[in-house]
């Protein structure tokens, strides 16, 4: 289960998954099902396509400028078409606002400024680059861009904008849609990206409803859920906290970021309590950054340039968490036939290979796939 968290959240999850590959005696790609929300939908769709956490980690942590074949421009394309259409309404909106204000029909000139918001499009950017990338990965691996063509169950969550309901693409009752299009819908962060229209419905980021949708895994028969949640509020006890002072002193961006994290994490905590009460037979292993983790708090969730640092941090965080809670995690995982590697047998950590050509990268990935098939 990969929860929401934007670009940095997805990269953090990749680092965590890479650590699980080292720690567990079962490959992450051999899990029965994957559930992804927002940035986690991107990661889950790659796992379902057979892309290993090691391959993902090498992509994001290498020093190149185009991990996953993506540039910042692919992620942050301007929605020029929508912007042009809305700007075309400028005369109509302004004339209506001025006439209404002059006639005294319950509006004044302060409303004129608010009317300008009607000229803004539904989203400033277009995330079609994400859809195109996922489609290209599936094509390169000879996999149909379809939920029905996958060897593992995959559920990707988006929210229907007009009715406010969460939709799990991949479930039998969900609209028929390609995996790549579902990822695009699940990652359409409101305000930043325009909603994604599928059929006659508009969809936005799946994290709008819940940060994680653990119930999907439980409803489909999971008795063990490993959930990675990258978004937690910062525990900053005034002068003794990691910031050395009150959050409010740092400005509005810190305040808004913390408030968002409090809201999202509050829903996560409520969900965990509910699952424990309603499904005591299900084990849920929740992996999160520490509450005093200033590094994860310092990076904006859409910070593309921080991918190497965040991936390494995700890896180390999970390793440290397993060391701290080893007896508890060992008992939980043993109930499901999964073992944990002993501390002495663990590698120091991943060292990304810096490929200097597409041919070298392709050859290395082919060799890894061959090794996996023979294992």
């Amino acid at each position: 289960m990969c929860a929401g968290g934007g670009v940095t959240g997805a990269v953090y999850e990749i680092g965590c998954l890479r650590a699980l590959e080292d720690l567990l005696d079962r490959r992450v790609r051999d899990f029965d099902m994957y559930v992804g929300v927002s940035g986690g939908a991107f990661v889950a769709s790659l796992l379902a396509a057979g892309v290993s956490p090691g391959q993902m980690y090498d992509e994001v942590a290498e020093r190149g400028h185009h991990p996953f074949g993506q540039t910042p421009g692919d992620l942050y394309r301007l929605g020029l078409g929508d912007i042009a259409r809305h700007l075309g309404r400028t005369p109509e909106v302004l004339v209506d606002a001025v006439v209404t204000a002059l006639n005294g029909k319950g509006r004044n000139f302060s409303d004129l400024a608010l009317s300008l918001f009607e000229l803004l499009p539904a989203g400033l950017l277009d995330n079609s680059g994400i859809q195109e990338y996922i489609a290209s990965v599936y094509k390169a691996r000879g996999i149909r861009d379809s939920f029905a063509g996958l060897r593992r169950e995959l559920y990707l969550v988006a929210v229907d904008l007009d009715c406010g309901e969460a939709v799990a693409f991949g479930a039998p009752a969900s609209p028929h849609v390609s995996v790549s299009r579902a990822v695009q819908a699940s990652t359409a962060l409101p305000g930043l990206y325009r909603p994604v229209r599928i059929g006659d419905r508009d969809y936005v980021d799946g994290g709008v409803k819940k940060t994680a949708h653990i119930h999907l895994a439980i409803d489909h028969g999971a008795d063990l859920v490993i959930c990675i949640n990258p978004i937690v509020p910062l525990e900053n006890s005034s002068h003794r906290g990691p910031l050395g002072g009150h959050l409010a002193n740092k400005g509005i961006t810190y305040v808004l970021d913390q408030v968002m994290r409090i809201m999202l994490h509050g829903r996560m905590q409520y969900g965990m309590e509910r699952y424990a009460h309603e499904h005591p037979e299900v084990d849920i292993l929740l992996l999160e950054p520490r509450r005093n983790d200033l590094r994860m708090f310092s990076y904006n969730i859409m910070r593309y340039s921080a991918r190497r640092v965040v991936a390494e941090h995700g890896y180390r965080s999970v390793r440290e968490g397993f060391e701290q809670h080893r007896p508890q995690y060992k008992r939980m995982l043993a109930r499901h036939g999964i073992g944990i590697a002993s501390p002495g047998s663990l590698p120091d950590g991943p060292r990304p290979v810096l490929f200097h050509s597409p041919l070298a990268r392709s050859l290395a990935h082919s060799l890894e796939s061959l090794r996996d098939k023979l294992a």
Side-chain angles (χ1 to χ4, degrees), residues 282-300:
V282 177
D283 286 319
I284 302 176
L285 176 56
L286 180 61
L287 303 176
E288 297 178 319
R290 296 188 307 275
R291 290 290 303 277
N292 64 348
D293 191 336
L294 185 58
R295 174 165 289 173
M296 285 301 293
F297 186 81
S298 298
Y299 292 125
N300 180 280

Side-chain angles (χ1 to χ4, degrees), residues 2 11 19 43 72 93 101 145 151 169 171-173 191 194 253 270 287 289 301 341 357 368:
C2 296
V11 172
V43 178
V93 170
D145 187 5
R151 292 184 301 169
F169 293 108
R194 69 183 183 189
T253 56
Y270 171 77
L287 303 176
I301 64 171
S357 71
E368 179 172 345

Side-chain angles (χ1 to χ4, degrees), residues 74-101:
D74 295 327
L75 294 177
Y76 307 120
R77 293 176 179 171
L78 277 174
L80 296 177
D82 277 357
I83 292 174
R85 281 190 291 273
H86 280 75
L87 289 179
R89 298 182 57 238
T90 300
E92 173 192 346
V93 170
L94 290 180
V95 169
D96 177 68
V98 171
V99 170
T100 304

